[in-house]
Amino acid sequence: MSKRAYFGTDGIRGLANSHPMTAEVALRVGLAAGKLFMSQDDRRHMVVIGKDTRLSGYMVEPALVAGFASVGMDVRLLGPMPTPGVAMMTRSLRADLGVMISASHNPYTDNGIKLFGPDGYKLSDARELEIEALMDQGLADGLAAPTKLGRVARVDDSQARYVEIAKATFPRRLSLAGLRIVIDCAHGAAYKVAPVVLYELGAEVVKIGVEPNGTNINEECGSTHPEAMVRAVKEFRADIGVALDGDADRLVICDEKGRVVDGDQIMAIIADAWARTDRLTGGGVVATVMSNLGLERYLNARGLKLERTAVGDRAVMVRMREGGFNLGGEQSGHMIMSDFSTTGDGLLAALQVLAVLKESGQPMSMLAHQFEPVPQKLENVRFAGGKPLETAQVKEVIAEAELRLNGTGRIVVRASGTEPLIRVMAEGDDEKLVSQVVKEIVGAVKKAAA
């Protein structure tokens, strides 16, 4: 695969107003993606653009609009909208392309651009490379005639439409009446829609993280800082807490006692409920190499399998589509339920958990702990360059460690896709042995990197 100049593991991302997150690059994305998705025939083509609440969104959005309009593509602006909502609206409005302006759970000083095809799925690597090739052409190439410029309009009811789509995923026979729910929207993209969905389904809603000012997205709130949700759950004696991230494609939950529930437990809750009612397809769940061995054993005990992929929700989605699975996710809280959505959706995942909570009649603390996680240890090693993982010594130490775990655990050693880090993770029933193994591998990697 050729080296990518702009696109990373999840769209284009970086520090706002410095390369590649500048107005000029955004303009080039609009020009290039517009040309690529318009070249099929001579009808009107359309792109929908949503964003989160970052200050820099006001710089990136007009630049994208200018690029798309100047090659003759019509633009529909959705305003603040969860990433999965943009994917849904791309399909719903029969657009040729969807764009989300967000850097997800990163601080407000970062921003990013994610692209969705007409089917609502994130673009493939091949498509992104085609866009990159066009981005480096002259800005004057392929511009539309003055009579053929794109028209730009706001979609006034986009949030209301997402609210209705979200509510329709909750079982019709149930209501959230009698539940007090804390929802933390991270001052991000779901700050308007998420509390409305929960309220209209009957819940008593305590909302926090719903006052975005352009610079407070993800700041000491949301799924990366669950302490805010935990405090509110205790203060208001809520039945459950739900924390979304800045673009609302992931979630973390806590029970009524304030104990945090991660993505692996959430997958277990949903998989078990769906399997019992014959709604789970593919015979199991897709998760990444980082998911706990406890989840795998829990599923196996129920006759279900856990298929593992590389890290990243795009890898999970690809495997789900290949294997006919309708549930997948990451330990970090990305939950993909393909019956409802083409990408991770924190709010829809919360609704599935709430449905189980409501049907069980139990408190969340009884549901939250579906399995005992196996002791897991993760260490990151920074390295300056080279390929330490390909050296014979490192391979030998890893192989030796796997022999010592002897089938009672797992080792995952991988290079990070976003920074110069080697991540060393081991898990197993013997906590002491796990720590020792990680220490030895980290030592070998450091030696090889030096």
mmCIF file of all heavy atoms in Angstrom, residues 125-157:
data_model
loop_
_atom_site.group_PDB
_atom_site.id
_atom_site.type_symbol
_atom_site.label_atom_id
_atom_site.label_comp_id
_atom_site.label_asym_id
_atom_site.label_seq_id
_atom_site.Cartn_x
_atom_site.Cartn_y
_atom_site.Cartn_z
ATOM 1 N N ASP A 125 -9.769 2.165 2.161
ATOM 2 C CA ASP A 125 -8.428 2.728 1.952
ATOM 3 C C ASP A 125 -8.216 3.100 0.486
ATOM 4 O O ASP A 125 -7.618 4.127 0.178
ATOM 5 C CB ASP A 125 -7.360 1.701 2.363
ATOM 6 C CG ASP A 125 -7.312 1.497 3.874
ATOM 7 O OD1 ASP A 125 -7.751 2.416 4.592
ATOM 8 O OD2 ASP A 125 -6.848 0.443 4.328
ATOM 9 N N ALA A 126 -8.704 2.240 -0.418
ATOM 10 C CA ALA A 126 -8.497 2.478 -1.853
ATOM 11 C C ALA A 126 -9.152 3.790 -2.278
ATOM 12 O O ALA A 126 -8.567 4.593 -3.018
ATOM 13 C CB ALA A 126 -9.059 1.308 -2.659
ATOM 14 N N ARG A 127 -10.384 4.021 -1.798
ATOM 15 C CA ARG A 127 -11.091 5.264 -2.134
ATOM 16 C C ARG A 127 -10.341 6.477 -1.581
ATOM 17 O O ARG A 127 -10.225 7.516 -2.227
ATOM 18 C CB ARG A 127 -12.511 5.246 -1.543
ATOM 19 C CG ARG A 127 -13.547 4.506 -2.358
ATOM 20 C CD ARG A 127 -13.532 4.852 -3.807
ATOM 21 N NE ARG A 127 -14.822 5.324 -4.295
ATOM 22 C CZ ARG A 127 -15.033 5.659 -5.570
ATOM 23 N NH1 ARG A 127 -14.057 5.591 -6.436
ATOM 24 N NH2 ARG A 127 -16.207 6.082 -5.973
ATOM 25 N N GLU A 128 -9.858 6.341 -0.335
ATOM 26 C CA GLU A 128 -9.131 7.457 0.287
ATOM 27 C C GLU A 128 -7.863 7.787 -0.509
ATOM 28 O O GLU A 128 -7.513 8.961 -0.677
ATOM 29 C CB GLU A 128 -8.788 7.124 1.746
ATOM 30 C CG GLU A 128 -10.016 7.153 2.644
ATOM 31 C CD GLU A 128 -9.722 6.841 4.106
ATOM 32 O OE1 GLU A 128 -8.618 6.379 4.427
ATOM 33 O OE2 GLU A 128 -10.633 7.061 4.924
ATOM 34 N N LEU A 129 -7.202 6.754 -1.021
ATOM 35 C CA LEU A 129 -5.996 6.994 -1.826
ATOM 36 C C LEU A 129 -6.332 7.691 -3.144
ATOM 37 O O LEU A 129 -5.578 8.543 -3.620
ATOM 38 C CB LEU A 129 -5.261 5.676 -2.100
ATOM 39 C CG LEU A 129 -4.430 5.146 -0.924
ATOM 40 C CD1 LEU A 129 -3.923 3.732 -1.213
ATOM 41 C CD2 LEU A 129 -3.242 6.062 -0.609
ATOM 42 N N GLU A 130 -7.500 7.351 -3.728
ATOM 43 C CA GLU A 130 -7.940 8.044 -4.955
ATOM 44 C C GLU A 130 -8.166 9.533 -4.673
ATOM 45 O O GLU A 130 -7.812 10.398 -5.485
ATOM 46 C CB GLU A 130 -9.251 7.432 -5.472
ATOM 47 C CG GLU A 130 -9.112 6.088 -6.155
ATOM 48 C CD GLU A 130 -10.472 5.586 -6.651
ATOM 49 O OE1 GLU A 130 -11.029 6.195 -7.579
ATOM 50 O OE2 GLU A 130 -10.984 4.605 -6.071
ATOM 51 N N ILE A 131 -8.768 9.822 -3.510
ATOM 52 C CA ILE A 131 -9.000 11.221 -3.129
ATOM 53 C C ILE A 131 -7.661 11.932 -2.935
ATOM 54 O O ILE A 131 -7.465 13.058 -3.417
ATOM 55 C CB ILE A 131 -9.871 11.308 -1.848
ATOM 56 C CG1 ILE A 131 -11.291 10.827 -2.153
ATOM 57 C CG2 ILE A 131 -9.905 12.737 -1.305
ATOM 58 C CD1 ILE A 131 -12.177 10.679 -0.938
ATOM 59 N N GLU A 132 -6.720 11.260 -2.262
ATOM 60 C CA GLU A 132 -5.396 11.865 -2.044
ATOM 61 C C GLU A 132 -4.729 12.232 -3.364
ATOM 62 O O GLU A 132 -4.118 13.294 -3.490
ATOM 63 C CB GLU A 132 -4.495 10.906 -1.256
ATOM 64 C CG GLU A 132 -4.885 10.784 0.194
ATOM 65 C CD GLU A 132 -3.719 10.383 1.095
ATOM 66 O OE1 GLU A 132 -2.652 10.017 0.568
ATOM 67 O OE2 GLU A 132 -3.883 10.456 2.320
ATOM 68 N N ALA A 133 -4.837 11.323 -4.342
ATOM 69 C CA ALA A 133 -4.193 11.577 -5.638
ATOM 70 C C ALA A 133 -4.763 12.843 -6.280
ATOM 71 O O ALA A 133 -4.028 13.657 -6.853
ATOM 72 C CB ALA A 133 -4.393 10.371 -6.557
ATOM 73 N N LEU A 134 -6.088 13.025 -6.146
ATOM 74 C CA LEU A 134 -6.732 14.215 -6.739
ATOM 75 C C LEU A 134 -6.431 15.480 -5.927
ATOM 76 O O LEU A 134 -6.416 16.583 -6.470
ATOM 77 C CB LEU A 134 -8.251 14.015 -6.787
ATOM 78 C CG LEU A 134 -8.770 13.054 -7.864
ATOM 79 C CD1 LEU A 134 -10.248 12.748 -7.624
ATOM 80 C CD2 LEU A 134 -8.601 13.641 -9.260
ATOM 81 N N MET A 135 -6.187 15.322 -4.607
ATOM 82 C CA MET A 135 -5.974 16.495 -3.745
ATOM 83 C C MET A 135 -4.725 17.280 -4.116
ATOM 84 O O MET A 135 -4.644 18.478 -3.889
ATOM 85 C CB MET A 135 -5.878 16.064 -2.270
ATOM 86 C CG MET A 135 -7.232 15.830 -1.633
ATOM 87 S SD MET A 135 -7.087 15.088 0.003
ATOM 88 C CE MET A 135 -6.410 16.438 0.949
ATOM 89 N N ASP A 136 -3.729 16.558 -4.677
ATOM 90 C CA ASP A 136 -2.467 17.232 -4.976
ATOM 91 C C ASP A 136 -2.443 17.856 -6.374
ATOM 92 O O ASP A 136 -1.425 18.394 -6.808
ATOM 93 C CB ASP A 136 -1.289 16.269 -4.776
ATOM 94 C CG ASP A 136 -1.096 15.947 -3.293
ATOM 95 O OD1 ASP A 136 -1.411 16.830 -2.465
ATOM 96 O OD2 ASP A 136 -0.676 14.831 -2.965
ATOM 97 N N GLN A 137 -3.562 17.783 -7.086
ATOM 98 C CA GLN A 137 -3.642 18.466 -8.386
ATOM 99 C C GLN A 137 -3.821 19.969 -8.173
ATOM 100 O O GLN A 137 -4.083 20.423 -7.059
ATOM 101 C CB GLN A 137 -4.833 17.928 -9.193
ATOM 102 C CG GLN A 137 -4.643 16.495 -9.660
ATOM 103 C CD GLN A 137 -5.830 16.016 -10.468
ATOM 104 O OE1 GLN A 137 -6.800 16.749 -10.667
ATOM 105 N NE2 GLN A 137 -5.758 14.791 -10.943
ATOM 106 N N GLY A 138 -3.732 20.725 -9.256
ATOM 107 C CA GLY A 138 -3.924 22.180 -9.166
ATOM 108 C C GLY A 138 -5.337 22.514 -8.714
ATOM 109 O O GLY A 138 -6.287 21.809 -9.059
ATOM 110 N N LEU A 139 -5.467 23.604 -7.956
ATOM 111 C CA LEU A 139 -6.788 23.986 -7.436
ATOM 112 C C LEU A 139 -7.743 24.403 -8.549
ATOM 113 O O LEU A 139 -8.955 24.423 -8.366
ATOM 114 C CB LEU A 139 -6.634 25.128 -6.420
ATOM 115 C CG LEU A 139 -5.962 24.753 -5.094
ATOM 116 C CD1 LEU A 139 -5.757 25.993 -4.232
ATOM 117 C CD2 LEU A 139 -6.783 23.739 -4.329
ATOM 118 N N ALA A 140 -7.205 24.754 -9.705
ATOM 119 C CA ALA A 140 -8.079 25.240 -10.790
ATOM 120 C C ALA A 140 -8.575 24.107 -11.690
ATOM 121 O O ALA A 140 -9.370 24.338 -12.606
ATOM 122 C CB ALA A 140 -7.327 26.280 -11.619
ATOM 123 N N ASP A 141 -8.114 22.882 -11.416
ATOM 124 C CA ASP A 141 -8.514 21.751 -12.277
ATOM 125 C C ASP A 141 -9.965 21.344 -12.034
ATOM 126 O O ASP A 141 -10.392 21.202 -10.898
ATOM 127 C CB ASP A 141 -7.631 20.518 -11.981
ATOM 128 C CG ASP A 141 -6.198 20.734 -12.431
ATOM 129 O OD1 ASP A 141 -5.944 21.772 -13.054
ATOM 130 O OD2 ASP A 141 -5.336 19.871 -12.154
ATOM 131 N N GLY A 142 -10.695 21.139 -13.127
ATOM 132 C CA GLY A 142 -12.019 20.527 -13.038
ATOM 133 C C GLY A 142 -13.086 21.355 -12.341
ATOM 134 O O GLY A 142 -14.023 20.810 -11.771
ATOM 135 N N LEU A 143 -12.960 22.687 -12.360
ATOM 136 C CA LEU A 143 -13.981 23.523 -11.712
ATOM 137 C C LEU A 143 -15.236 23.596 -12.584
ATOM 138 O O LEU A 143 -15.172 23.510 -13.807
ATOM 139 C CB LEU A 143 -13.440 24.930 -11.458
ATOM 140 C CG LEU A 143 -12.249 25.027 -10.489
ATOM 141 C CD1 LEU A 143 -11.831 26.478 -10.299
ATOM 142 C CD2 LEU A 143 -12.585 24.399 -9.138
ATOM 143 N N ALA A 144 -16.376 23.781 -11.922
ATOM 144 C CA ALA A 144 -17.653 23.834 -12.650
ATOM 145 C C ALA A 144 -17.829 25.192 -13.325
ATOM 146 O O ALA A 144 -17.286 26.202 -12.873
ATOM 147 C CB ALA A 144 -18.798 23.594 -11.675
ATOM 148 N N ALA A 145 -18.624 25.191 -14.411
ATOM 149 C CA ALA A 145 -18.971 26.465 -15.065
ATOM 150 C C ALA A 145 -19.848 27.274 -14.111
ATOM 151 O O ALA A 145 -20.511 26.706 -13.234
ATOM 152 C CB ALA A 145 -19.728 26.173 -16.351
ATOM 153 N N PRO A 146 -19.871 28.625 -14.276
ATOM 154 C CA PRO A 146 -20.665 29.466 -13.367
ATOM 155 C C PRO A 146 -22.128 29.013 -13.251
ATOM 156 O O PRO A 146 -22.744 29.150 -12.196
ATOM 157 C CB PRO A 146 -20.593 30.852 -13.997
ATOM 158 C CG PRO A 146 -19.427 30.817 -14.919
ATOM 159 C CD PRO A 146 -19.164 29.407 -15.299
ATOM 160 N N THR A 147 -22.664 28.442 -14.331
ATOM 161 C CA THR A 147 -24.075 28.009 -14.308
ATOM 162 C C THR A 147 -24.251 26.671 -13.608
ATOM 163 O O THR A 147 -25.366 26.249 -13.333
ATOM 164 C CB THR A 147 -24.591 27.856 -15.755
ATOM 165 O OG1 THR A 147 -23.669 26.991 -16.455
ATOM 166 C CG2 THR A 147 -24.656 29.190 -16.463
ATOM 167 N N LYS A 148 -23.149 25.966 -13.360
ATOM 168 C CA LYS A 148 -23.226 24.599 -12.818
ATOM 169 C C LYS A 148 -22.743 24.491 -11.371
ATOM 170 O O LYS A 148 -22.500 23.396 -10.870
ATOM 171 C CB LYS A 148 -22.377 23.650 -13.687
ATOM 172 C CG LYS A 148 -22.893 23.471 -15.117
ATOM 173 C CD LYS A 148 -23.827 22.272 -15.171
ATOM 174 C CE LYS A 148 -24.618 22.171 -16.458
ATOM 175 N NZ LYS A 148 -23.837 21.852 -17.635
ATOM 176 N N LEU A 149 -22.544 25.619 -10.700
ATOM 177 C CA LEU A 149 -22.045 25.588 -9.317
ATOM 178 C C LEU A 149 -23.026 24.869 -8.383
ATOM 179 O O LEU A 149 -24.233 24.875 -8.625
ATOM 180 C CB LEU A 149 -21.813 27.015 -8.804
ATOM 181 C CG LEU A 149 -20.608 27.746 -9.403
ATOM 182 C CD1 LEU A 149 -20.619 29.215 -8.994
ATOM 183 C CD2 LEU A 149 -19.306 27.093 -8.951
ATOM 184 N N GLY A 150 -22.480 24.281 -7.314
ATOM 185 C CA GLY A 150 -23.339 23.594 -6.355
ATOM 186 C C GLY A 150 -24.143 24.580 -5.522
ATOM 187 O O GLY A 150 -23.710 25.707 -5.276
ATOM 188 N N ARG A 151 -25.319 24.163 -5.093
ATOM 189 C CA ARG A 151 -26.142 24.991 -4.208
ATOM 190 C C ARG A 151 -26.001 24.484 -2.778
ATOM 191 O O ARG A 151 -25.866 23.287 -2.547
ATOM 192 C CB ARG A 151 -27.615 24.921 -4.622
ATOM 193 C CG ARG A 151 -27.863 25.570 -5.975
ATOM 194 C CD ARG A 151 -29.289 25.330 -6.446
ATOM 195 N NE ARG A 151 -29.483 25.973 -7.740
ATOM 196 C CZ ARG A 151 -29.853 27.247 -7.897
ATOM 197 N NH1 ARG A 151 -30.065 28.006 -6.834
ATOM 198 N NH2 ARG A 151 -30.010 27.777 -9.102
ATOM 199 N N VAL A 152 -26.057 25.391 -1.825
ATOM 200 C CA VAL A 152 -25.815 25.041 -0.423
ATOM 201 C C VAL A 152 -27.046 25.390 0.416
ATOM 202 O O VAL A 152 -27.609 26.479 0.265
ATOM 203 C CB VAL A 152 -24.587 25.813 0.123
ATOM 204 C CG1 VAL A 152 -24.265 25.359 1.547
ATOM 205 C CG2 VAL A 152 -23.373 25.601 -0.792
ATOM 206 N N ALA A 153 -27.485 24.456 1.278
ATOM 207 C CA ALA A 153 -28.640 24.732 2.139
ATOM 208 C C ALA A 153 -28.479 24.002 3.468
ATOM 209 O O ALA A 153 -27.779 22.995 3.552
ATOM 210 C CB ALA A 153 -29.932 24.271 1.447
ATOM 211 N N ARG A 154 -29.119 24.547 4.505
ATOM 212 C CA ARG A 154 -29.139 23.850 5.802
ATOM 213 C C ARG A 154 -30.306 22.879 5.834
ATOM 214 O O ARG A 154 -31.373 23.165 5.288
ATOM 215 C CB ARG A 154 -29.354 24.868 6.936
ATOM 216 C CG ARG A 154 -28.135 25.665 7.201
ATOM 217 C CD ARG A 154 -28.063 26.271 8.596
ATOM 218 N NE ARG A 154 -26.731 26.827 8.758
ATOM 219 C CZ ARG A 154 -25.645 26.118 9.070
ATOM 220 N NH1 ARG A 154 -25.752 24.826 9.300
ATOM 221 N NH2 ARG A 154 -24.471 26.677 9.152
ATOM 222 N N VAL A 155 -30.117 21.741 6.508
ATOM 223 C CA VAL A 155 -31.225 20.796 6.722
ATOM 224 C C VAL A 155 -31.764 21.086 8.114
ATOM 225 O O VAL A 155 -31.158 20.729 9.121
ATOM 226 C CB VAL A 155 -30.733 19.331 6.626
ATOM 227 C CG1 VAL A 155 -31.905 18.367 6.816
ATOM 228 C CG2 VAL A 155 -30.065 19.079 5.284
ATOM 229 N N ASP A 156 -32.890 21.757 8.187
ATOM 230 C CA ASP A 156 -33.384 22.233 9.485
ATOM 231 C C ASP A 156 -33.847 21.107 10.407
ATOM 232 O O ASP A 156 -33.764 21.225 11.621
ATOM 233 C CB ASP A 156 -34.551 23.219 9.280
ATOM 234 C CG ASP A 156 -34.075 24.499 8.604
ATOM 235 O OD1 ASP A 156 -32.908 24.884 8.858
ATOM 236 O OD2 ASP A 156 -34.830 25.086 7.821
ATOM 237 N N ASP A 157 -34.321 20.001 9.828
ATOM 238 C CA ASP A 157 -34.897 18.966 10.688
ATOM 239 C C ASP A 157 -33.958 17.775 10.891
ATOM 240 O O ASP A 157 -34.402 16.702 11.302
ATOM 241 C CB ASP A 157 -36.229 18.482 10.098
ATOM 242 C CG ASP A 157 -36.044 17.792 8.748
ATOM 243 O OD1 ASP A 157 -34.953 17.940 8.143
ATOM 244 O OD2 ASP A 157 -36.976 17.088 8.305
#
